[in-house]
């Protein structure tokens, strides 16, 4: 098609505000606290939207999408978390 494109799907799952004109992660304050606040705000916004627009899928992608948004705060790997869940390890915070 001779079209140049940007592959952003994974990056947008992790950081939905990627193309925001004035990224909220640059909003002053302590770097880590700002990042925690930003990611929690994005997760809450995602949950609100998921509630407002329910998925018709038998297994909606809410959990994996939240994981992508929050995994840097949790300092865990998704494959490792899935393996621990399968072996019955409690993953609640």
């Amino acid at each position: 098609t001779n079209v140049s494109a940007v592959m952003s799907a994974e990056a947008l799952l992790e950081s939905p505000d990627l193309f925001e004109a004035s990224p909220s992660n640059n909003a002053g304050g302590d770097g880590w606290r700002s990042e925690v606040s930003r990611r929690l705000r994005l997760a809450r916004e995602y949950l609100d939207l998921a509630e407002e627009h329910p998925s018709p899928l038998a297994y909606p992608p809410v959990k994996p999408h939240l994981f992508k948004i929050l995994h840097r705060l949790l300092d865990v790997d998704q494959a490792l978390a899935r393996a621990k869940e399968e072996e019955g390890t409690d993953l609640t915070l």
Side-chain angles (χ1 to χ4, degrees):
T1 63
N2 292 329
V3 175
S4 295
V6 175
M7 291 183 59
S8 61
E10 285 289 321
L12 282 168
L13 282 174
E14 183 176 328
S15 198
D17 60 352
L18 184 65
F19 295 119
E20 197 171 281
S22 175
S24 55
N25 58 344
N26 292 335
D30 175 40
W32 177 245
R33 285 180 190 263
S34 293
E35 183 65 8
V36 168
S37 177
R38 177 179 150 268
R39 289 191 180 273
L40 291 176
R41 179 186 53 78
L42 290 169
R44 179 75 258 168
E45 185 177 341
Y46 173 74
L47 285 174
D48 290 343
L49 288 168
E51 223 172 52
E52 188 177 329
H53 306 281
S55 172
L57 301 174
Y59 299 101
V62 175
K63 184 178 176 180
H65 285 184
L66 277 177
F67 190 91
K68 277 291 194 187
I69 294 169
L70 299 172
H71 83 278
R72 291 193 188 268
L73 301 181
L74 302 172
D75 195 30
V76 292
D77 176 80
Q78 191 170 15
L80 179 59
R82 189 171 291 134
K84 286 183 177 182
E85 186 175 43
E86 287 173 1
E87 68 187 28
T89 303
D90 184 14
L91 299 176
T92 56
L93 296 174

